[in-house]
Amino acid sequence: MDNRSKVMTLFFIVLLLSISSISLVAQPMKLGIDNLVETNFEILRDKKIGLLTNSACRTSSLVPTPEAFLRSKNCTLSVLLTPEHGYYAGVPAGEYVPDDSLWNIPAYSLYGKNRRPTQAMLSQCDVIVADIQDIGIRSYTFISTLLQVMDACAEYGKPIYVLDRPNPLGGVLIDGNIPETLSFVCALPVPYIHGCTIGELAQMANNEGWLGKNIEGKSRRCSLTVVKMKRWNRTMHWEKTGLPFIPTSPNIISPETIRSAAITGVLGELSIVSIGIGTPMPFRWCGMPDISADTVLGALSLKKNDSIIAISSAFYPQFGKFAKKRCYGILFHCPPSQSVPYFSLGLELCKTLVSVYPLLFDKNTVQNNNKEMFIKVLGNKKLAEALLNGDHAMVKQLSVSGLEEYRTMREKYLLYK
């Protein structure tokens, strides 16, 4: 072979390798439901299925998960279970969701008279499948509902399959305190921004003994299988997945909304300021009629969070806190990031408001039920009181309590590197 031929041969080898590499990179990620469809639901062959899901959960080609099951001849969809906000994700936060019937299948609400599946509901199924889109924030109640379903499966002897989905905040960032007290809005002893997929959280809860207790007082464990994603990695925030975002609830309307909710959501529980509920940009605002946004913005340090853009302006909520009133406040723009500690920034925002407008946070001003919810979401009464009292040293100490131990424990349950 002469030199010209050798050069041409080498050129074509490099070209083929390049094309192969490009093809590999271009392959889309696959969700848990995609992998189930691809295998024609083989692991569920001849089973009657109970499905926990809502309308945000679809295949990558946007087929709703219940329809994907109904198209399969290998299994039978018998029961639907729905979380807070209902199947169509339109019922406002905290409102009762009635039972329903969808695709001529009974749809039992787990945010109505029952928050845990009854034995009668599960008796209609051989296995339970959970396809639910978490948002990466501890207080989001889809986590709580999944735990209730897992616990019921453990008690009544039903296997459960969790179809994994991306954490919209990615799988790197961890931020926030480990709670001391648990509730439906703080269901797991994990940081406020936990850095896990829903499948990883399910494994963690099952193996760490975080389900309920049996009659002998021992922690229950369910028969759990996580159907993993393909080609998702921990550095992928939502925009990197290539998937369209479908609202998971009335005010979680975009990935940016999730990032801003991680900043303003806890503060919103106090119902002192509006956080933009009732505007086209929920969770991205923080303000009220009688404050100086420029003063608050000037006192709020964003030096360590350069990717966050905050501007002062005015907004008009159409419903919710200060409905139909002109509010002055801060608008947050939160581009994708794996390094911005959103929860810690939210604490800084709260501390700044307490410092600039202490009377707003006086114990005679804050309603008891709002303070109780504030404490519940934080999972730590001392942290809540330190924030309201302006005790910055205590806030700093309590807001990172238990994080290192969590990081070590979390390593055991990571499904993606």
Side-chain angles (χ1 to χ4, degrees), residues 58-103:
R58 299 166 183 248
T59 67
S60 295
S61 56
L62 300 183
V63 176
T65 293
E67 289 191 16
F69 272 86
L70 290 169
R71 292 178 185 183
S72 173
K73 296 181 179 179
N74 281 344
C75 58
T76 303
L77 184 58
S78 300
V79 167
L80 287 170
L81 304 171
T82 63
E84 185 179 6
H85 312 293
Y87 176 77
Y88 290 107
V91 179
E95 288 195 11
Y96 180 95
V97 180
D99 292 340
D100 204 346
S101 177
L102 301 166
W103 294 278

Side-chain angles (χ1 to χ4, degrees), residues 118-165:
T118 64
Q119 188 172 12
M121 293 176 193
L122 299 190
S123 68
Q124 303 171 60
C125 317
D126 298 315
V127 300
I128 302 299
V129 176
D131 189 18
I132 204 76
Q133 180 61 64
D134 183 41
I135 64 169
I137 296 175
R138 183 183 64 209
S139 60
Y140 208 58
T141 63
F142 289 5
I143 299 172
S144 312
T145 298
L146 177 60
L147 288 183
Q148 294 287 338
V149 172
M150 289 172 62
D151 187 51
C153 286
E155 181 175 0
Y156 303 127
K158 300 292 181 180
I160 181 168
Y161 292 76
V162 173
L163 310 185
D164 216 0
R165 287 185 171 270

Side-chain angles (χ1 to χ4, degrees), residues 397-414:
Q397 176 187 332
L398 294 175
S399 64
V400 297
S401 176
L403 272 186
E404 287 310 307
E405 293 84 351
Y406 170 76
R407 288 180 187 277
T408 300
M409 181 272 292
R410 169 178 170 267
E411 286 294 321
K412 297 183 290 185
Y413 303 109
L414 300 184

Side-chain angles (χ1 to χ4, degrees), residues 194-214:
H194 51 71
C196 292
T197 67
I198 194 73
E200 291 170 337
L201 282 181
Q203 287 195 146
M204 189 183 295
N206 201 38
N207 293 334
E208 292 294 320
W210 295 343
L211 303 184
K213 306 289 185 181
N214 61 23

Side-chain angles (χ1 to χ4, degrees), residues 25 52 114 119-120 128 156 165 207 211 273 286 295 319 331:
V25 171
L52 169 65
N114 297 300
Q119 188 172 12
I128 302 299
Y156 303 127
R165 287 185 171 270
N207 293 334
L211 303 184
V273 297
C286 176
T295 300
F319 55 86
L331 173 64

